Amino acid sequence: MKNMREKHSGYRCGECGASVVRWSGKCPNCDQWDTLVAAGRSARTGLSAAAADARECVYFLPDAPQEDLERTECGIGEFDRVLGGGLLPGCVVLIGGDPGVGKSTLLLQALSRIAAGECKSLYVTCEESLSQLGVRATRLGYGGAPLRVTAENSLDTILALLEAEKPRVAVIDSIQMVTAREQDSPAGSISQLKYAAAELIRCAKENNFTLFLVGHVTKQGAIAGPKAIEHMVDTVLYFESERFHTMRILRAAKNRFGSINEIGVFQMTEGGLEGVDNPSELFLSERSGKQSGSVVTPTVEGRRALLVEIQALIAPSCYGTPERRTGGIDHRRFGMLLTVLERRAGLKLGGCDAFANVAGGVKIAEPSADLPLALSIVSSARDAAFPSDWVAMGEIGLSGEIRAIGQIQQRLKEAAKLGFKKAVVPKGNLASASNPPIPLHPVSEVGELCRLGFSGRSEKNG
Ligand code: TYD
Ligand code: MG
């Protein structure tokens, strides 16, 4: 306290140099306004020595010092791309996802590869034993990787280990299982999670290594989820899957050192996660093409266009209240489209069960899926197949109007690449799709959908 009072004892006038005890707007000696500054600061500039020092660190943008950041690729192409081209020193990456989705598998594969490339790596497993980790590594074909591993939960020990080992890349699997002694709250609580994350992040920044934090997405309540620490890290990736499917999508939700418009597509196989170079082929591989209720659409995921199959099944309801179910599509959007088709296209769907699904376990959140979904509903309701070599894309409004969508060229290119012959697109997109790689069939309202070339009549219409 004494110190503080000394520091702030009195003010000096920048004009006449008079000392006064209390600050006021006007100097009592020379009557000048706004000239009194705290004693100890430079009377002329009003800056303390500390502030003057600090100012040395403020630059005009072009003069600001730039670090040369060198990225280390882990060699798993899909992973490197989502990270923005590889790992950066001092960068903290949070990988979130449902339990069992493959977070540990992906990181074990990545770290084993990095370690094999003579980049010192440390894998801290807080959930599994070292033998479990070893068995998995052997199964993945990385049994001999020079990766440093340890099974440890205590934050203090982990921090000490990181200081001592000096890895260039480290994984904490998972952050929710790290316990901090200083915190009274139970393991897995929000305050534990935040404290442990803050300490580990500080350690990574100070020692300039890449840090991966694994976080399980949890049912709300019991355990704090990765959302709680998203703001503290540089990059947030989510690893997603639909249950029972082997497809996995790695998506960047935040990236201070790269784009968030990238996704990585993997397949979970016997030998671990494998990158998928051509996801469209995979998503369409099991399509029969002859059934009603199936329509293919190019959806844009990040910067990548993917072709996916949307399926609908409409059948008269046998048991009182009609059922409505969806997989991979927002069910409210589905309900809205059923109503729009009923009111604006004269389709009788009221007493029908209605199901919709995206094949392959992908989720589509884009409005561009409205048109293909509506077409698959029409196709199923009339039991007439949509031409198997056509694609469709477009947003549908409440009045049944079909609205233009973005990235049309990219979508058409992907469709052409996979051999599709015609695309049903919103009329409003014709201008933006000059010189299309495949012929276009423009539509402007849902009434036209029933007249499209269903059931092989496409040849005549097209
Ligand atoms: P895991 O990486 O443990 O998931 P997370 O860390 O996200 O909880 O993956 C668990 C699942 O992956 C498990 O159900 C088994 C499956 N799996 C394979 O199918 N092939 C493999 O080679 C491995 C290692 C796991
Ligand atoms: Mg795990």
Side-chain angles (χ1 to χ4, degrees):
M1 266 330 272
K2 186 160 169 277
N3 245 343
M4 282 215 358
R5 214 172 281 145
E6 269 172 15
K7 252 188 203 158
H8 293 285
S9 63
Y11 296 85
R12 264 167 71 89
C13 174
E15 277 304 308
C16 66
S19 301
V20 288
V21 177
R22 230 180 258 166
W23 188 86
S24 72
K26 191 164 86 169
C27 171
N29 187 41
C30 65
D31 283 348
Q32 291 292 313
W33 283 93
D34 215 13
T35 54
L36 293 185
V37 292
R41 291 176 175 231
S42 146
R44 197 169 50 80
T45 60
L47 284 180
S48 68
D53 277 355
R55 253 198 107 180
E56 301 273 292
C57 306
V58 182
Y59 303 91
F60 281 108
L61 182 59
D63 307 329
Q66 302 288 324
E67 268 177 277
D68 242 347
L69 294 172
E70 201 185 314
R71 291 189 186 260
T72 310
E73 291 191 357
C74 69
I76 301 174
E78 298 288 304
F79 193 21
D80 283 329
R81 201 157 34 96
V82 176
L83 285 167
L87 319 181
L88 283 170
C91 176
V92 182
V93 183
L94 172 68
I95 298 198
D98 290 325
V101 70
K103 302 179 292 295
S104 304
T105 307
L106 180 65
L107 287 173
L108 186 58
Q109 285 181 241
L111 237 67
S112 304
R113 277 166 169 269
I114 293 168
E118 290 184 358
C119 178
K120 198 166 172 193
S121 311
L122 176 66
Y123 195 111
V124 182
T125 167
C126 317
E127 293 177 356
E128 295 173 303
S129 67
L130 284 179
S131 26
Q132 281 172 314
L133 193 73
V135 168
R136 175 178 300 188
T138 309
R139 223 179 95 188
L140 294 171
Y142 293 111
L147 176 63
R148 301 279 285 168
V149 293
T150 182
E152 186 54 64
N153 283 67
S154 143
L155 177 65
D156 290 345
T157 316
I158 294 173
L159 287 170
L161 270 176
L162 287 167
E163 299 273 350
E165 283 276 319
K166 300 208 181 312
R168 283 178 55 198
V169 185
V171 167
I172 310 294
D173 185 3
S174 69
I175 181 71
Q176 279 132 327
M177 297 297 286
V178 175
T179 49
R181 210 160 24 89
E182 293 81 356
Q183 299 284 302
D184 300 332
S185 48
S189 65
I190 291 248
S191 61
Q192 283 263 345
L193 178 72
K194 286 192 167 170
Y195 180 78
E199 285 296 294
L200 289 163
I201 292 167
R202 182 192 50 74
C203 179
K205 301 279 173 201
E206 276 174 21
N207 295 289
N208 210 31
F209 61 85
T210 311
L211 175 65
F212 286 101
L213 301 176
V214 173
H216 295 297
V217 172
T218 55
K219 294 261 177 325
Q220 261 156 22
I223 304 180
K227 275 247 172 289
I229 52 170
E230 274 188 355
H231 64 286
M232 304 163 78
V233 302
D234 300 307
T235 301
V236 178
L237 307 180
Y238 279 99
F239 210 24
E240 302 171 355
S241 81
E242 279 282 92
R243 237 161 226 277
F244 311 123
H245 285 284
T246 56
M247 190 80 64
R248 301 284 183 271
I249 293 181
L250 187 65
R251 211 184 288 275
K254 158 180 174 182
N255 197 346
R256 284 185 187 151
F257 300 104
S259 152
I260 53 163
N261 293 325
E262 289 289 0
I263 61 161
V265 183
F266 297 88
Q267 225 178 347
M268 183 61 100
T269 68
E270 277 302 298
L273 288 158
E274 274 172 23
V276 176
D277 293 335
N278 196 341
S280 293
E281 246 166 47
L282 190 69
F283 288 129
L284 299 181
S285 60
E286 284 167 67
R287 196 168 72 108
S288 84
K290 293 185 196 75
Q291 295 291 343
S292 64
S294 152
V295 176
V296 172
T297 188
T299 173
V300 174
E301 283 280 355
R303 265 187 283 169
R304 225 175 191 190
L306 297 177
L307 290 180
V308 294
E309 179 189 2
I310 294 184
Q311 300 174 321
L313 183 61
I314 311 288
S317 179
C318 305
Y319 314 98
T321 327
E323 265 202 82
R324 302 268 146 101
R325 275 171 210 263
T326 59
I329 293 170
D330 180 33
H331 68 276
R332 279 162 301 192
R333 200 87 194 169
F334 183 49
M336 186 275 273
L337 285 176
L338 288 170
T339 311
V340 169
L341 286 172
E342 178 124 24
R343 291 293 304 276
R344 314 282 182 202
L347 234 58
K348 293 279 164 279
L349 302 166
C352 293
D353 288 339
F355 305 94
N357 188 39
V358 185
V362 205
K363 289 196 191 98
I364 308 189
E366 279 199 293
S368 74
D370 290 350
L371 180 57
L373 181 55
L375 280 167
S376 67
I377 295 169
V378 174
S379 166
S380 178
R382 307 174 124 209
D383 198 18
F386 186 71
S388 64
D389 53 0
W390 287 28
V391 290
M393 61 209 93
E395 180 179 348
I396 294 179
L398 287 181
S399 353
E401 81 279 18
I402 295 168
R403 299 161 165 262
I405 53 168
Q407 289 128 310
I408 190 99
Q409 286 289 11
Q410 202 184 347
R411 297 174 201 265
L412 293 173
K413 238 198 256 162
E414 182 71 9
K417 198 169 96 191
L418 280 253
F420 285 82
K421 296 286 184 288
K422 189 157 222 171
V424 181
V425 299
K427 204 173 215 157
N429 270 119
L430 284 183
S432 52
S434 54
N435 242 335
I438 49 173
L440 305 181
H441 184 111
V443 284
S444 52
E445 51 101 23
V446 290
E448 296 164 46
L449 301 190
C450 301
R451 297 193 291 275
L452 277 176
F454 286 107
S455 215
R457 277 176 286 140
S458 58
E459 268 45 284
K460 244 186 280 164
N461 291 0

